[in-house]
Amino acid sequence: MEVGMLTEILNKFVDAFSGGFERLQPAINGLLRIFVTIDVLFFCALLLFELEQWKSAFRKIFVLSLWMYVIRDFDVHATRVINSLVQAGLMAAGQGGTDARAIINPSRILDAGFQATDVLAKNLTNAGPLDIADVIAFGFSYMLIVLAFAALALNAFMAMLEYYLAMAIAGIFLPFAVLQPTRWVAMK
């Protein structure tokens, strides 16, 4: 059975959403510049009125640098974290070295379901008219296994869509985390 259509549909969605962070990058950088400028100006005003110590300037520079590093390459960092988690799961399952993309390919998952039920399908076609109990047992087992693999494939499909959509949306909220008063926006 041809199941590659599921991956083709997913690839169309991924192509549409995967460039979202790059397309939003100018807006993200603009917001980041605004918030960093506000934070630096506020810190300088506190230093000017001697409400802040000079030794906290190094901490402030470090924190702002860290935020800028995380926000500017957020999509790269998130993808690396996800891939490393998938690789850790594959290693724990004894499948180290397997491509991380192969494990979340919905068409491949659905195809594995059809391969797993191949023996049941052959027994169903070879069953005679008097083998009603076998037909019911094999048919019910076949349906349950295929539905379970279809549910897994659908979950993988939805997880990939949610991931790429979240990558596009999260980037625009991350610059709000630079300032303490607006940090709640980034945490939502």
Side-chain angles (χ1 to χ4, degrees):
M1 178 173 263
E2 177 60 36
V3 293
M5 181 178 64
L6 196 58
T7 300
E8 289 178 24
I9 293 170
L10 177 65
N11 288 337
K12 296 290 183 190
F13 279 114
V14 167
D15 289 343
F17 292 139
S18 65
F21 189 84
E22 288 84 18
R23 289 189 289 274
L24 289 173
Q25 193 71 37
I28 292 168
N29 287 338
L31 272 174
L32 187 61
R33 271 188 237 105
I34 289 169
F35 287 127
V36 167
T37 303
I38 290 171
D39 200 25
V40 168
L41 289 175
F42 184 69
F43 182 74
C44 289
L46 289 176
L47 279 177
L48 183 66
F49 295 115
E50 297 180 0
L51 298 173
E52 193 70 46
Q53 301 289 329
W54 275 101
K55 62 182 177 184
S56 63
F58 294 112
R59 182 182 179 278
K60 178 65 77 175
I61 291 171
F62 175 73
V63 168
L64 287 176
S65 299
L66 182 65
W67 273 115
M68 290 178 68
Y69 172 73
V70 168
I71 293 170
R72 286 185 177 218
D73 293 326
F74 177 70
D75 60 334
V76 175
H77 300 312
T79 302
R80 287 183 182 158
V81 167
I82 294 296
N83 287 342
S84 67
L85 290 174
V86 170
Q87 287 298 329
L90 288 171
M91 286 186 341
Q95 301 288 325
T98 306
D99 182 27
R101 285 288 199 195
I103 197 85
I104 52 177
N105 183 340
S107 294
R108 196 164 175 183
I109 294 170
L110 198 55
D111 189 44
F114 286 121
Q115 288 177 4
T117 56
D118 192 37
V119 173
L120 288 174
K122 286 180 183 174
N123 285 337
L124 271 172
T125 57
N126 293 337
L130 299 176
D131 298 329
I132 284 291
D134 288 343
V135 168
I136 291 172
F138 291 149
F140 187 68
S141 299
Y142 180 84
M143 293 294 285
L144 282 178
I145 293 170
V146 167
L147 285 174
F149 275 91
L152 286 172
L154 186 61
N155 280 332
F157 184 88
M158 293 303 294
M160 291 296 292
L161 283 182
E162 289 172 0
Y163 170 75
Y164 283 106
L165 189 57
M167 285 298 99
I169 293 172
I172 203 71
F173 290 111
L174 281 175
F176 288 96
V178 172
L179 290 176
Q180 184 66 34
T182 60
R183 194 162 288 158
W184 63 273
V185 175
M187 291 183 183
K188 295 289 177 178

